Amino acid sequence: MVETDQAISPAVAREPVADWVRCARCSELVYGKRFVRSLRVCPDCGGHGRLTARQRLDQLLDPGSETPLEPAPTPYDPLDFVDSRPYRERLADARAATGMDDAALAVRGRVEGHPVVVAAMDFRFLGGSLGCAVGALVARAAEESLRTRVPLLIVTASGGARMQEGPLALMQMAKTAQALAELDEAGILVVSLVTDPTYGGVAASFATLADVILIEPGARMGFAGPRVIEQTIGERLPEGFQTAEFLLAHGMVDAVVPRGQLRRTAAHFLGVARAGRAAADGAPRPEDAADPRPADPPDGPAAARATPPPAGDAWETVRFARHPARPSALDYAGRLLEDFHEIHGDRLAADCPAIVGGFGLLDGQPVMLIGHQKGGDDIDERRRRHFGMATPAGFRKAARLMRLAAKLRVPVVTLVDTPGANPGPDAERGGQAVAIAENLRLMSALPVPIVSVVTGEGGSGGALALAVADHVLILERGVYSVISPEGCAAILWKDPAAAPTAAAALRLGPAELSALGVVDTIVPEPPDGAHTGPGEAAALLRTALRSVLAELRHLPPDRLIRERRNRYRAFGTAPGYGGVPAHAHEGASS
């Protein structure tokens, strides 16, 4: 049975179709009306049949919401090109066969009530090739998105740049990339829906420059087609090369989404963008913002306002923090947030499974949640997740998601639970130190609120790479340290058995961290630990997050950045030195 969460629009229901359709993937015959009802997805093998641009618009947009956009005029046959036939004849035949002027349509419309501008490509028209007319239409759609300040959705299906228009076709890659750059600068969301096939100049321009890249199951995308690659290298490519599933595993796309779920998934991201912009548009300006907090709290810094529990036994706290059944980032995402959608990949080489993240709603307000994922009780899953130890791809993925949150003006919440960064040779070859350093720099200047929560084990730079924040919370049985107690014992005591002694000396428990000002708020857990009551633990964390975000949401970006930088500048600096306010050290112990 084909999974679909959307009703069939009247336009789709009226589509003409043969009595029987043969699936291009499995060759089985499918009853024509059933094929239409399943959105042209084979009910036997799940193969996604190709759609026309018109069919795409009918399936994605709310009925009656569409208004067409007209592109700028473009040359008809700029090179007077002739191969086995004149280009003008090929154009005339394609127009007659498709009823389209060229290989794309652009419209304004709505998806589940959310306004959007859509440019949809049609592979039937000369292989969906990118020529002057398509480039002009995509640029026109981007201009309309910029003018109206609503998101842009691009549906791609193309064999590449149009050879018959020569260097002018090549220039369309730069034209469309420039148009999307303007949307970046304006903070307007761009979503790409990649369909089969998407190759060449389209893949190397607007298809992969989007903030969020969705792809249908089995769809193929790449710069060079498989035949060209095989002819060049003289080898057969592996099964599934360049398919949606391959691209997801290699960090190039955010999600593989079956056709029946596309409307809802697109609506999720459009809704996040809409809510983020509405919140930002309603925020006070820096010069007249009413700050919900006093500039200089009379009772000292945030850490002094925390209520730490008794210190207890440090080694026992470490054991609790490492308990394999403690709720994971995805556990918290499912319990804290509504409509959470995980986003994947660093867009360079990989999708690190030790870092997860995506948008969701906390009490109806969008947040970007990013966290370490250890894998729970299942040892095989823990190995697959690298025990929560992120690779460079994981830190790059986190950075990409934080930049996206900043673009859409959405707060970032990070959940820290890791022994440390991945120590393997592949991680070193991939630039582990650089990836961590880049995150520290990025978070110090991110213009949206950042709230970090140490939910379990906060180990070294691998933890700090997600924890440079305006406000740091720690669960009652969490720990946060420069090194593991075992590592410290082995180096300084020359005896790993001295780990309990090292744990106490490192001051890594919540009470000590609060006294040092490293954490601001200690979040209570169920009496026997978060792992004994995940629902209760999530509810307690939600209460704390709600309070902190309420304080931070309305602060102007310049104040957020200034106070965040002052916070970290103060650590380890004498009061009053170098412009660090004296109150920054009140309540701290040596």
Side-chain angles (χ1 to χ4, degrees):
M1 182 66 183
V2 176
E3 185 179 1
T4 176
D5 62 3
Q6 68 183 71
I8 306 300
S9 72
V12 172
R14 291 194 299 269
E15 287 179 11
V17 65
D19 289 341
W20 292 93
V21 177
R22 188 174 298 278
C23 173
R25 179 177 172 184
C26 69
S27 299
E28 290 294 322
L29 288 173
V30 183
Y31 183 53
K33 291 184 178 179
R34 185 186 185 193
F35 192 51
V36 170
R37 287 196 302 271
S38 64
L39 305 179
R40 297 182 182 267
V41 178
C42 177
D44 294 317
C45 72
H48 282 51
R50 288 180 184 168
L51 297 181
T52 68
R54 179 70 267 156
Q55 289 166 339
R56 284 284 174 195
L57 296 176
D58 288 343
Q59 289 185 4
L60 289 170
L61 296 178
D62 298 347
S65 68
E66 180 181 321
T67 303
L69 299 176
E70 295 299 328
T74 56
Y76 185 74
D77 181 9
L79 306 185
D80 291 323
F81 193 94
V82 179
D83 49 73
S84 60
R85 296 175 61 200
Y87 176 45
R88 290 171 181 261
E89 289 185 11
R90 294 186 184 277
L91 277 176
D93 289 349
R95 287 169 175 161
T98 63
M100 299 174 62
D101 288 335
D102 214 285
L105 297 175
V107 303
R108 292 191 303 268
R110 290 181 177 269
V111 178
E112 295 191 358
H114 300 294
V116 66
V117 177
V118 185
M121 302 186 74
D122 196 315
F123 194 77
R124 298 174 304 157
F125 197 108
L126 298 180
S129 49
L130 173 61
C132 295
V134 173
L137 198 67
V138 172
R140 171 72 179 89
E143 290 165 2
E144 183 68 12
S145 184
L146 184 63
R147 184 186 72 82
T148 58
R149 307 192 72 77
V150 302
L152 174 64
L153 170 61
I154 304 174
V155 185
T156 64
S158 176
R162 189 168 296 176
M163 294 176 287
Q164 295 92 336
E165 296 186 15
L168 291 180
L170 187 67
M171 294 303 107
Q172 304 311 305
M173 296 170 62
K175 174 194 288 186
T176 56
Q178 176 179 291
L180 266 60
E182 293 184 50
L183 297 183
D184 274 342
E185 294 162 3
I188 297 171
L189 176 70
V190 180
V191 178
S192 173
L193 168 56
V194 175
T195 75
D196 188 60
T198 295
Y199 280 111
V202 170
S205 58
F206 54 88
T208 51
L209 287 176
D211 301 301
V212 177
I213 302 177
L214 310 177
I215 188 168
E216 288 192 326
R220 296 163 295 164
M221 179 174 70
F223 182 59
R227 282 185 297 178
V228 172
I229 297 173
E230 288 181 341
Q231 289 170 3
T232 301
I233 66 175
E235 298 176 12
R236 290 285 296 172
L237 294 173
E239 188 70 24
F241 184 76
Q242 293 184 325
T243 63
E245 296 72 20
F246 173 93
L247 295 165
L248 181 66
H250 289 80
M252 303 301 176
V253 299
D254 289 295
V256 178
V257 185
R259 190 170 292 164
Q261 299 174 24
L262 282 173
R263 266 176 57 84
R264 182 178 179 276
T265 303
H268 164 79
F269 291 106
L270 298 177
V272 167
R274 190 179 187 184
R277 178 158 296 281
D281 288 346
R285 296 174 298 168
E287 61 269 24
D288 59 8
D291 190 344
R293 307 174 306 172
D296 296 305
D299 56 346
R305 298 201 302 270
T307 307
D313 180 79
W315 185 243
E316 187 67 15
T317 302
V318 171
R319 293 176 60 194
F320 264 103
R322 293 174 173 174
H323 197 290
R326 283 181 77 83
S328 69
L330 289 177
D331 291 331
Y332 281 116
R335 295 175 186 275
L336 288 172
L337 305 180
E338 301 170 9
D339 199 26
F340 174 75
H341 283 243
E342 189 177 350
I343 298 174
H344 295 269
D346 68 347
R347 297 280 176 84
L348 289 176
D351 179 44
C352 174
I355 296 286
V356 297
F359 287 115
L361 301 178
L362 179 66
D363 293 337
Q365 294 296 315
V367 298
M368 171 64 81
L369 185 87
I370 304 168
H372 297 97
Q373 181 72 12
K374 279 187 172 178
D377 278 326
D378 185 334
I379 188 61
D380 290 335
E381 178 66 3
R382 287 170 74 82
R383 288 195 184 101
R384 189 181 78 81
R385 298 281 184 179
H386 309 316
F387 298 92
M389 296 185 290
T391 64
F395 295 121
R396 287 194 294 262
K397 173 166 66 171
R400 184 173 75 83
L401 300 190
M402 285 187 272
R403 290 190 187 97
L404 177 55
K407 176 178 177 177
L408 302 183
R409 308 182 190 184
V410 172
V412 173
V413 175
T414 66
L415 304 181
V416 175
D417 187 13
T418 180
N422 194 295
D426 287 343
E428 291 301 316
R429 281 191 288 267
Q432 184 71 288
V434 175
I436 292 171
E438 291 285 0
N439 273 26
L440 304 184
R441 179 168 61 181
L442 170 67
M443 296 182 81
S444 73
L446 209 69
V448 293
I450 308 174
V451 179
S452 292
V453 186
V454 181
T455 61
E457 189 177 13
S460 191
L464 185 62
L466 294 190
V468 177
D470 303 297
H471 196 103
V472 179
L473 302 91
I474 188 169
L475 267 61
E476 192 175 3
R477 289 180 171 86
V479 296
Y480 196 5
S481 178
V482 66
I483 192 172
S484 70
E486 295 91 338
C488 180
I491 294 170
L492 299 182
W493 276 264
K494 312 300 188 215
D495 180 7
T501 304
L506 286 167
R507 306 288 184 91
L508 47 65
E512 294 89 349
L513 294 165
S514 176
L516 291 168
V518 172
V519 302
D520 303 297
T521 301
I522 298 170
V523 181
E525 298 184 24
D528 295 320
H531 59 285
T532 65
E536 183 183 354
L540 291 165
L541 179 54
R542 181 188 298 108
T543 298
L545 286 173
R546 182 188 295 125
S547 174
V548 173
L549 286 170
E551 283 192 355
L552 296 174
R553 277 185 188 276
H554 300 297
L555 296 185
D558 61 341
R559 178 161 182 186
L560 280 170
I561 294 170
R562 182 176 67 252
E563 292 190 3
R564 190 183 307 144
R565 288 176 171 172
N566 284 343
R567 170 196 178 93
Y568 288 92
R569 189 180 183 192
F571 289 122
T573 304
Y577 179 79
V580 177
H583 71 70
H585 292 272
E586 293 176 12
S589 61
S590 60

